[in-house]
Structures are given as structure tokens and as C-alpha cells.
Amino acid sequence: KNQINCHNLIMTEDNVIAAPKESSFDGRFGCVCGNICVNVMQPKSSSLVTPTAALCQCTDCYQFALAVSKFRKEFCPESSEEADALTASNATNMRQIYKSDAVKLSGEDYLQGVKLKQDSPCIRYYSKCCGTPILIDYTMSPFFLVFQHTMNATKKDGRFQRMKPTVVLNHNSAPPKSPSTPDDIPVQDGVSIGFMFHIIARVLWGILSGKKSSPITTKLETVPTHIGINSLGKKEETEK
């Protein structure tokens, strides 16, 4: 049986790597070793609902990225450091995609979910095979937050390319001794009216347009979810 991984390499039955045909998807993201792959079809949209990207320095994102990095070093020692999500400023670099744009998920058996608290509406996913943070799912939201270091555009127009972050969020809660943020990206310690308007507009437009429903949701719902940041790598009972 032929298999295709996130690096778009095809392995034939004779264990020969064949050149892939041009992808029909706009892009993909997944873990660095290629076991997990999410294919994306991203239609062009109006300026009101264009994707946004940001550097987040909140404590939760920092702790998650740090914990996954420690998991990688302990349980996946042969994995590349390219799996780590923290930037030089101890931030996570993420962009939004509408859930309906994520059209295909392969390798879900390698995924692990984690909630920082039992009642959290947010599930963070990482790969058990190589310790790569993959995406964040706010279950009531119409979009996923994708860690940009996992992305790869496939079409020539590059519609699903990595985006330059437009803002640094939650700088007030940045980790102790966090390096300074990039000089060319505005820092937002609170939540501005303009930023909130943009987020609310995207959320409302996404819900009204049916963007909250994703073809990969059914598979994500089968991924085990641990509770607590200290659960990474442990084999306690998980929440389905």
C-alpha cells in the first residue's frame, strides 16, 4: 500500500521513493518527521476576514511549548530541534486558519491532546512521534491556531504561506527573563478595541458562513486528551 507523508514523498511497495505529483491542496502542516499531516484548502477571502498571525507570550502557550520540548528531548531523542515552537523571544508563532479549510488529516494515531485545566475549552495538540506542537483548538471557535513552523505551502501562489506576525500578544505575562521582542512588530500588553473588532468579525463571519465545521474534526475527537501540563509523556487515564 502506498503511503504519503507531510513532506509529500511517496513510498512504493518496493520501498522506492517516487516523485510526487503536484498537490491539489493549497498547503499542509504537520510534525517534523512527517507522520502527521493536515492538508489545507484555503479559498481567497475579503480583507475583513483575512488570516492573522501573532507572536504569543502568554504563560499557557509558553508552558505548553516548553513542556513539549522537554517531552521531545526525553522520549524522542533522535527528533530534530526544528520541532520546538518557542522563538528567540520565548513566544509561540501562530496563525489562524478556518476549521473548514483543514480538509484532510493523516497520522492521527501519532497525535496527543492536552488541556491545561479540566474545564478548559482549549485543546493543544502535539505529536508523540517527534514532539512537535501542531495546533490549538478552541472548541467553540471557527478557526484553529496553527504553529507556523509546521507549515509548508504546496501551490505556486503560496496561499498558505507562513505569515509575518502583526502583533506580540500578552507581553505583560511574558516568561521571566524573556528576551526582548522584535523591534518591527507592535507589542500589545492589553487588548485593543481594533484587535478585538478584527477577532470578533472573523469569529462571527466564520460561524455564520459554516467555517466552524471541519472535515478533520471527527478524527480529532478520537485523539486521547490528557489533563494538565505535567501529563506529557505519562500513561494515566485520558479523557476522550
Side-chain angles (χ1 to χ4, degrees):
K1 184 179 179 179
N2 290 353
Q3 293 181 335
I4 184 168
N5 67 17
C6 206
H7 298 293
N8 214 22
L9 301 178
I10 299 175
M11 185 71 75
T12 67
E13 293 178 352
D14 299 325
N15 293 325
V16 176
I17 296 178
K21 297 180 180 180
E22 185 174 349
S23 174
S24 60
F25 300 105
D26 290 317
R28 57 187 179 269
F29 62 93
C31 65
V32 296
C33 74
N35 284 326
I36 299 168
C37 184
V38 180
N39 292 106
V40 177
M41 289 291 288
Q42 196 162 55
K44 294 179 180 178
S45 58
S46 68
S47 59
L48 175 66
V49 292
T50 51
T52 59
L55 293 175
C56 183
Q57 289 185 320
C58 80
T59 302
D60 288 350
C61 285
Y62 172 77
Q63 289 181 344
F64 171 69
L66 188 64
V68 175
S69 179
K70 291 180 179 178
F71 167 87
R72 177 186 64 79
K73 293 173 184 176
E74 181 176 356
F75 296 96
C76 318
E78 297 182 359
S79 176
S80 168
E81 291 184 357
E82 293 179 358
D84 293 347
L86 284 177
T87 69
S89 57
N90 280 346
T92 52
N93 185 354
M94 294 177 289
R95 66 163 284 177
Q96 300 169 330
I97 67 164
Y98 279 113
K99 291 179 179 179
S100 59
D101 295 344
V103 296
K104 182 180 178 182
L105 167 63
S106 57
E108 62 271 16
D109 290 344
Y110 294 97
L111 271 176
Q112 176 68 57
V114 61
K115 287 185 176 183
L116 302 190
K117 297 179 181 179
Q118 178 73 44
D119 58 351
S120 174
C122 173
I123 304 176
R124 291 170 163 84
Y125 291 94
Y126 67 97
S127 67
K128 297 181 289 186
C129 47
C130 57
T132 306
I134 304 293
L135 64 85
I136 299 177
D137 179 10
Y138 289 90
T139 53
M140 301 303 294
S141 169
F143 49 78
F144 295 124
L145 295 178
V146 177
F147 290 90
Q148 292 213 78
H149 73 299
T150 69
M151 291 172 42
N152 186 359
T154 56
K155 281 188 174 179
K156 290 182 180 180
D157 64 8
R159 200 174 301 160
F160 189 59
Q161 288 182 343
R162 299 179 186 182
M163 299 176 64
K164 180 180 178 179
T166 57
V167 67
V168 178
L169 298 174
N170 305 302
H171 186 59
N172 271 343
S173 60
K177 300 182 180 179
S178 177
S180 59
T181 56
D183 293 334
D184 59 341
I185 303 178
V187 173
Q188 185 169 290
D189 291 328
V191 179
S192 69
I193 295 177
F195 183 79
M196 280 302 300
F197 173 80
H198 184 75
I199 295 298
I200 291 172
R202 279 183 58 78
V203 169
L204 291 178
W205 186 87
I207 293 174
L208 295 174
S209 303
K211 296 287 188 178
K212 186 180 175 183
S213 176
S214 172
I216 73 170
T217 297
T218 301
K219 287 188 174 182
L220 285 180
E221 289 175 347
T222 68
V223 175
T225 301
H226 284 289
I227 307 299
I229 201 68
N230 295 324
S231 65
L232 275 68
K234 297 183 180 179
K235 296 183 179 181
E236 294 101 343
E237 202 68 27
T238 58
E239 175 187 275
K240 293 290 186 179

